[in-house]
Amino acid sequence: MRPQLGMHTLTDGRGLLFGGDYNPEQWPEEVWAEDVELMKAAGVNLVTVGVFSWARIEPEPGARDFGWLDRVLDLLGSAGIAVDLATPTASPPPWLGHRWPETLPVDESGHRLWYGSRNQFCPSSPVYRERALAIVTDLADRYAAHPALALWHVGNEYGQICHCDESAAAFRTWLQDRHGDLDALNEAWGTTFWSQRYSDWAEIIPPRRAPYMINPTQRLDWQRFCSDALLAHYRAERDILRGRTPGTPVTTNFMGLFKPVDYWSWAGEEDIVSNDWYPDPADPLSPARTALTHDLMRGLGQGRPWLLMEQATNGVNWRPHNLPKPPGQFRLESLQAVARGADGLCYFQWRASRFGAERFHAAMVPHAGPDTRLHAEVRAHGQELRQLAPVAGEPVPTQVAMVFDWASWWALEERGRPSDRLNAPDQLLSYYLPFWERGVSVDLVPPSAELSGYPLVVVPNLYLVGDQDAAALTAYVHGGGVLMVGPFSGIVDPRAHVRTGRFPAPLREVLGASGEEWLPAPEDRPVRCRWTGGTELAAHTRTGGAELAAHALTGGAELAAHALTGGAEFAAHTWTELVATEGAEAVAEFAEGDLAGHPAVLRHRAGQGVAWYVATMPEPVALGALAGRLLADAGVRGVLPDLPPGVEAVRRGDVLFLLNHGTATVRVPIPHAADDLLTGSPATGHVTLTPRAVAALRPRVQPHFGDPLA
C-alpha cells in the first residue's frame, strides 16, 4: 500500500517552506550560481522548476535536452535547496500546434485558439495526451532518484476548456457513462422544452454559441465534464510519477474560488493541496477574501497543512491597474497563510523576467537586483520563518463549517434566473465576514461532508442540492446542530430541475417555513426590515469613522456592542422572498411594501437543534447581528473578544496569530502571558500592533487562547 504522504514529507527537517518559481532557462548559466547564493542567504529551501520548459526539454518532436536541467538540479541540490519539479505540459511548444493543429483548443464560437501564449491545448486531444505523457514519462525516469527532488508539480493552474469535435466526442462518452441511454439523457435535460429532444448521440455537441439561451442542464453537465476531463489528464500524469517515485508527494496548483474546476473532486487526488493566490491591494475586502480562500484550501485538504504555491512580493502585471504593495504587506499576507494552515510560502517568481508577457510581474529578486528594499524584505522574511518552525504540521481548530458547492455555483449563475445579482462567491464572503471579524475560524466543506463535529453550520447559498445532502442537513439539526440557510437555496435538484411546491422543498420541514415567490428588489434603494424582538440579538457595529457598509479597514474605529431588540431596523438589498412560517419564529420582518409584516429572518427549533432561514440579503451590520446570535445558539466564541477593526485573530495549534490589516496602531488585550515567536519578546496584558504588524503568541501556561477550542 502506498504510504500516506503530506506536507510533513517536505517540512520534516526543513520547517516551514520558503521559495518560489525558478525559471533558469530564461537566464545565462553564469546567473544560476548567483541565484543559488542569493537563495541560501534568503533562507529559500524549496523552488519550483520546469513549469514552462517543454520547448527547452523537447525542442522538436521526440528530441530530448535534459543537460541544462541536470545542471540546475545538481546546483540546487548541492546547496540544500529542495526541488518541486513540474511536468511542463501546461504550455506545449509551437511545434505541437503547428504539426497537429487538432491539439489546439476551440472556443464556443468555433474559433481555433493558436499558439503564442500558454494553455494552448485541448484536454480531450489524443495527440496532446500522447505527447504530454511521453515527456512526463521521460522526466520521471530521469529524475526519480535525484536527491534534490522533493515534490512533483503536475501541469499548472488547470482550467483550459475546449469546444472542438474531439471534445464533443469525449463529452458524449462522458454523458453515456452518466446517464446510460438517450431516454435518460432526454429526461435529465428536459429536452421536451424548445423541441430539443435528441434521437442520436451524434447530435449532441458542447454548448457552443447559439441564437439564445442554452439548455441549463446541458451547460451544467458540460461544466461537470470539463472539470472531469482535466482531472483525467492530471491523474494520467500523476500515475506515471507515482509509479516511479511512490515516496514523493504530488500536487497541482489551485486558484482559490476558481469556477471552471470542481476542487472538491480534485483534492483527494493530490498528496498536498496547493494554491496560487494574489490579493488585490485595491480591494478593501482583500484580507477577509484571502482568509476565506485559505480556509477553503484547508478544507479541501480536510484540515491538513497546505502549500501556498504562488503569491506576489509586489504588484502583478495582469490587472488593468496594478497597485504596488506597501512595505511589509507581502510579509503580512504570507504570515496570514501560515496562520490559516499553510506550511509553505512560495512566490511567482524568483527573478523578474526580462522578456515575455510577465516582464512587469513582481519577483523575489526585482529588475533592480538584490541590493533593493524589496529583496531585503524577502531575505528578512525567509530568515524569520525559521522562528515559526513549531507551528509546522499544527491544525487550525474550528467549530464552524460553511458549505460551498461547485455544482450549485455553476447552476445558480446560469442565465434566465430571477436575478443575476445573486452571486455565489459574494454571498459566501458576505456571510464569512462577520465570523472573520470576530476571530472565529471556519472550515469550508462540501454538502456531503460529515457535519456532526461542528456546533454551527452556515449555508450561504445552496441553490442545487440532492435529496441525500438535504436529508443530512435535516438530520444534523435534529441531532442538536445549529444550521443557517441563506436565500434561494434548495431550489433545484442535481439535474437543475426546479423542485415544485413551496420552497425550499427539501429543507421545508427543518426550517419550519416555506415560500411561494422570489421577488428581486429594486436596485436604486434598500429594503427596510425590522427585528421583531422575539429573539434578542447581539450585534457589533463600527463607530469612529470606519464605514461598516464598505467594510473599510481603517484606523480609529471601535467596536460597540449593543442588543438589537424589537423595532430596530436594518437594510437589506437585492433579493426578497414571500415566506410563511410553519412552526418557525419570525426574528425579523419586512417593514415596507407588499411584503410588510412578512418574515425576513426565521428561527426554528427542530429536534435537538435550531435552524435559521434568511429570506433576503441583509446589510453587513445585520449579518453581524445574526452571526452573533448564531454563535450564541451554538455556544461558540472567537479566540479573543472585541477585536479592533482590521485585526485578524486565528489560532493554529497553541499559537495565536494577530495580524493588523488596518492603517492605525492598535492595542489588543490578551488574557494570558505569552511569548511572540517572531520577535522572542514577552507579551503580558496586551499586544501593540502597528499597521501590517503580526504577532505569533505562544502562551506560557495553560489554558490556551480560545479555551473552548482546546
Side-chain angles (χ1 to χ4, degrees), residues 220-534:
L220 178 59
D221 270 353
W222 170 250
Q223 289 173 296
R224 288 168 170 147
F225 159 75
C226 289
S227 180
D228 285 354
L230 288 167
L231 179 56
H233 189 83
Y234 163 81
R235 284 185 182 132
E237 292 195 24
R238 179 207 62 189
D239 290 348
I240 290 171
L241 303 173
R242 281 185 173 176
R244 286 154 176 79
T245 57
T248 302
V250 183
T251 190
T252 189
N253 42 341
F254 293 160
M255 292 179 282
L257 285 166
F258 180 63
K259 190 175 181 181
V261 178
D262 179 0
Y263 288 151
W264 294 125
S265 67
W266 281 61
E269 306 289 344
E270 295 188 301
D271 294 307
I272 295 168
V273 170
S274 60
N275 191 47
D276 298 350
W277 186 245
Y278 294 93
D280 185 354
D283 178 11
L285 293 179
S286 183
R289 200 183 307 276
T290 297
L292 170 65
T293 304
H294 294 345
D295 288 352
L296 172 63
M297 293 306 123
R298 196 179 63 249
L300 287 165
Q302 299 184 334
R304 295 188 298 274
W306 53 280
L307 173 63
L308 183 55
M309 183 70 77
E310 290 184 24
Q311 56 181 322
T313 57
N314 208 328
V316 297
N317 68 297
W318 39 266
R319 294 187 178 107
H321 187 62
N322 296 287
L323 293 185
K325 295 181 180 182
Q329 183 67 28
F330 86 75
R331 171 185 181 265
L332 173 67
E333 293 168 351
S334 182
L335 292 175
Q336 185 183 23
V338 174
R340 295 193 173 269
D343 273 2
L345 300 312
C346 297
Y347 293 82
F348 182 85
Q349 59 180 325
W350 167 251
R351 187 182 284 271
S353 298
R354 298 169 296 165
F355 42 73
E358 293 174 318
R359 296 166 297 163
F360 298 107
H361 192 295
M364 301 172 78
V365 180
H367 287 301
D371 188 18
T372 52
R373 174 190 61 80
L374 182 73
H375 187 67
E377 285 190 53
V378 168
R379 290 195 303 270
H381 182 50
Q383 296 300 330
E384 76 173 343
L385 286 176
R386 297 178 182 178
Q387 308 305 315
L388 294 179
V391 306
E394 291 295 313
V396 177
T398 56
Q399 291 184 295
V400 178
M402 200 163 281
V403 173
F404 185 81
D405 182 58
W406 259 266
S408 182
W409 181 9
W410 294 334
L412 172 69
E413 296 185 8
E414 276 300 313
R415 293 176 62 191
R417 52 199 162 112
S419 172
D420 64 2
R421 304 294 189 267
L422 200 62
N423 173 286
D426 288 349
Q427 187 81 346
L428 180 68
L429 181 62
S430 294
Y431 277 89
Y432 180 86
L433 271 166
F435 296 100
W436 179 80
E437 291 174 334
R438 286 164 169 76
V440 176
S441 294
V442 172
D443 281 344
L444 268 73
V445 300
S448 58
E450 171 55 52
L451 301 174
S452 60
Y454 297 99
L456 174 60
V457 173
V458 179
V459 183
N461 178 269
L462 196 58
Y463 169 75
L464 180 153
V465 63
D467 292 343
Q468 185 174 351
D469 291 338
L473 290 170
T474 299
Y476 164 77
V477 176
H478 282 279
V482 177
L483 173 71
M484 194 294 304
V485 178
F488 210 41
S489 292
I491 305 304
V492 302
D493 65 18
R495 304 169 300 173
H497 292 197
V498 174
R499 295 177 178 273
T500 57
R502 297 178 69 88
F503 64 84
L507 299 171
R508 180 175 172 181
E509 180 271 329
V510 73
L511 296 176
S514 69
E516 58 187 86
E517 290 184 51
W518 305 294
L519 305 167
E523 295 186 56
D524 58 349
R525 63 181 178 84
V527 178
R528 289 175 48 241
C529 303
R530 69 169 60 92
W531 303 107
T532 64

Side-chain angles (χ1 to χ4, degrees), residues 114-137:
W114 294 93
Y115 48 86
S117 179
R118 71 180 204 187
N119 302 341
Q120 69 278 13
F121 66 89
C122 166
S124 300
S125 166
V127 174
Y128 169 74
R129 174 73 66 93
E130 177 187 358
R131 308 303 301 205
L133 296 187
I135 195 168
V136 170
T137 299

Side-chain angles (χ1 to χ4, degrees), residues 34-254:
E34 178 189 2
D35 283 333
V36 169
E37 289 304 311
L38 289 173
M39 289 177 188
K40 289 165 60 178
V44 167
N45 55 16
L46 178 74
V47 294
T48 299
V49 176
V51 175
F52 297 118
S53 61
W54 191 341
R56 180 71 186 268
I57 295 173
E58 188 175 10
E60 59 184 42
R64 293 290 185 268
D65 178 7
F66 284 119
W68 69 276
L69 191 54
D70 292 346
R71 296 191 294 277
V72 169
L73 265 63
D74 289 348
L75 187 62
L76 292 166
S78 65
I81 299 170
V83 171
D84 169 28
L85 186 56
T87 65
T89 51
S91 189
W95 57 254
L96 185 66
H98 178 71
R99 289 171 172 79
W100 292 279
E102 69 271 23
T103 65
L104 296 168
V106 172
D107 68 17
E108 63 180 354
S109 296
H111 300 135
R112 192 162 303 274
L113 306 179
W114 294 93
Y115 48 86
S117 179
R118 71 180 204 187
N119 302 341
Q120 69 278 13
F121 66 89
C122 166
S124 300
S125 166
V127 174
Y128 169 74
R129 174 73 66 93
E130 177 187 358
R131 308 303 301 205
L133 296 187
I135 195 168
V136 170
T137 299
D138 290 351
L139 189 76
D141 285 342
R142 189 169 189 93
Y143 298 109
H146 198 286
L149 176 66
L151 177 66
W152 287 111
H153 182 308
V154 176
N156 183 69
E157 297 183 338
Y158 278 98
Q160 182 58 52
I161 294 172
C162 176
H163 294 74
C164 74
D165 289 342
E166 287 183 336
S167 296
F171 184 37
R172 288 190 283 269
T173 300
W174 184 93
L175 290 169
Q176 289 169 350
D177 291 341
R178 181 175 179 84
H179 297 289
D181 57 34
L182 274 175
D183 287 341
L185 178 134
N186 279 305
E187 172 64 23
W189 284 16
T191 57
T192 54
F193 186 82
W194 281 354
S195 187
Q196 293 177 345
R197 182 172 181 81
Y198 295 96
S199 59
D200 191 298
W201 285 103
E203 297 168 0
I204 298 173
I205 59 174
R208 295 169 178 160
R209 187 174 180 183
Y212 192 42
M213 289 185 287
I214 293 174
N215 186 324
T217 308
Q218 177 188 4
R219 284 182 52 83
L220 178 59
D221 270 353
W222 170 250
Q223 289 173 296
R224 288 168 170 147
F225 159 75
C226 289
S227 180
D228 285 354
L230 288 167
L231 179 56
H233 189 83
Y234 163 81
R235 284 185 182 132
E237 292 195 24
R238 179 207 62 189
D239 290 348
I240 290 171
L241 303 173
R242 281 185 173 176
R244 286 154 176 79
T245 57
T248 302
V250 183
T251 190
T252 189
N253 42 341
F254 293 160

